[in-house]
């Protein structure tokens, strides 16, 4: 079993702080859920009734793990080959005579097998769920952390540590790769975890206060895709 060296990778912002904040201001009313819908029914809330009380730029984690396995082996088997009709009592194949039983020839063979397995996961570092859409982040510009992660991000940015443990993720992937092979001879048995990467992707968060309602709500803007939540 071979396991790759773990890497930490920072995905770079594709959206500036200024553009993210402008998007958040534009979508701020939606941060207040049902109350905003009711208020909007009577009159559109005015911008001056809102106040930006807090903002942050943070990096949220996810794991990318790719495991592969290859098994090369031989195993004995018996093939049942139907004959052309019940009048056939025997047949000759490669100068060997075979008796017919139950309208079939029973051929003893040696099967030469190659079995490839693969398991690739993208695990949200906070919820520990496998979210395949996280794969799209890996296509964006990024940089590998060589020293302390604090040296690879902006001074005022926050880093959210993963609560999903890589040890549990690795055990799950390896359990899928390690197979009980039924074979007479095993020529190759190789399991490899070729990718173990901890990605951090940027999120902008803005907390707004709706003064006349005495309510607060949060808008988050994805620093890569621009998605608002």
């Amino acid at each position: 079993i071979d396991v790759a060296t773990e890497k930490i990778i920072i995905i770079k912002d594709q959206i500036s702080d200024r553009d993210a904040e402008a998007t958040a201001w534009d979508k701020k009313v939606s941060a207040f859920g049902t109350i905003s819908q009711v208020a909007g029914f009577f009159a559109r809330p005015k911008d001056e009734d809102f106040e930006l009380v807090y903002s942050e730029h943070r990096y949220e984690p996810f794991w990318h793990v790719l495991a592969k396995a290859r098994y090369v082996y031989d195993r004995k088997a018996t093939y049942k080959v139907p004959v052309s009709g019940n009048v056939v009592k025997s047949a000759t194949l490669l100068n060997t005579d075979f008796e017919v039983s139950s309208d079939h020839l029973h051929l003893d063979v040696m099967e030469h097998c190659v079995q490839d397995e693969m398991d690739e996961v993208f695990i949200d570092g906070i919820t520990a769920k496998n979210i395949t859409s996280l794969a799209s982040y890996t296509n964006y510009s990024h940089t590998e952390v060589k020293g302390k992660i604090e040296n690879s991000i902006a001074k005022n940015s926050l880093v959210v540590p993963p609560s999903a443990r890589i040890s549990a993720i690795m055990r799950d992937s390896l359990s899928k790769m390690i197979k009980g092979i039924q074979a007479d001879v095993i020529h190759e048995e190789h399991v490899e975890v070729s990718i173990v990467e901890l990605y951090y992707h940027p999120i902008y968060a803005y907390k707004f206060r709706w003064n006349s309602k005495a309510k607060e709500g949060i808008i988050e803007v994805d620093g890569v895709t621009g998605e608002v939540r």
Side-chain angles (χ1 to χ4, degrees):
I1 300 178
D2 295 324
V3 179
T5 302
E6 182 181 320
K7 296 180 180 179
I8 300 178
I9 297 173
I10 300 290
I11 300 174
K12 297 180 180 179
D13 284 285
Q14 306 299 308
I15 298 172
S16 69
D17 186 7
R18 179 179 298 180
D19 289 340
E21 185 172 333
T23 299
W25 269 102
D26 186 52
K27 301 290 186 180
K28 61 187 177 298
V29 176
S30 63
F32 297 90
T34 304
I35 189 175
S36 66
Q37 298 174 14
V38 174
F41 180 77
F42 295 101
R44 180 176 176 81
K46 297 181 179 179
D47 281 349
E48 52 266 30
D49 199 15
F50 294 89
E51 179 185 0
L52 178 60
V53 295
Y54 176 77
S55 66
E56 71 179 24
H57 178 260
R58 68 175 183 268
Y59 289 92
E60 294 188 352
F62 70 88
W63 292 98
H64 177 206
V65 175
L66 176 62
K68 297 180 179 180
R70 166 164 280 220
Y71 298 92
V72 181
Y73 54 95
D74 297 337
R75 66 185 180 192
K76 295 176 182 178
T78 300
Y79 289 3
K80 293 175 64 176
V81 182
V83 296
S84 59
N86 57 13
V87 298
V88 180
K89 303 306 177 183
S90 66
T92 302
L93 175 66
L94 300 177
N95 298 320
T96 301
D97 294 329
F98 295 90
E99 297 295 323
V100 174
S101 176
S102 301
D103 296 328
H104 286 78
L105 296 176
H106 295 263
L107 307 179
D108 293 328
V109 301
M110 180 68 76
E111 295 178 327
H112 307 291
C113 306
V114 178
Q115 182 174 338
D116 290 308
E117 306 284 346
M118 187 183 79
D119 182 56
E120 185 173 24
V121 294
F122 294 86
I123 304 295
D124 185 286
I126 299 171
T127 66
K129 294 181 178 179
N130 184 16
I131 303 176
T132 56
S133 60
L134 290 171
S136 62
Y137 285 109
T138 64
N139 297 321
Y140 290 92
S141 178
H142 55 266
T143 181
E144 183 180 347
V145 177
K146 294 297 186 181
K148 292 184 177 181
I149 192 170
E150 293 82 1
N151 298 331
S152 300
I153 62 174
K155 184 177 181 181
N156 296 324
S157 296
L158 305 176
V159 176
V160 180
S163 55
R165 301 299 182 186
I166 187 58
S167 56
I169 299 169
M170 292 270 287
R171 279 198 301 270
D172 185 59
S173 288
L174 287 172
S175 68
K176 298 174 185 176
M177 295 298 99
I178 298 175
K179 304 291 185 178
I181 301 299
Q182 300 299 317
D184 291 279
V185 179
I186 296 178
H187 300 287
E188 181 181 344
E189 187 175 19
H190 183 217
V191 177
E192 177 186 19
V193 183
S194 57
I195 296 177
V196 183
E197 296 172 337
L198 175 59
Y199 278 88
Y200 282 99
H201 63 99
I203 298 288
Y204 293 96
Y206 303 91
K207 180 187 286 186
F208 292 94
R209 178 179 292 123
W210 192 341
N211 292 320
S212 64
K213 304 293 183 183
K215 298 288 185 180
E216 291 183 344
I218 295 174
I219 289 288
E220 293 184 344
V221 181
D222 192 302
V224 176
T225 67
E227 180 183 356
V228 175
R229 66 188 184 193

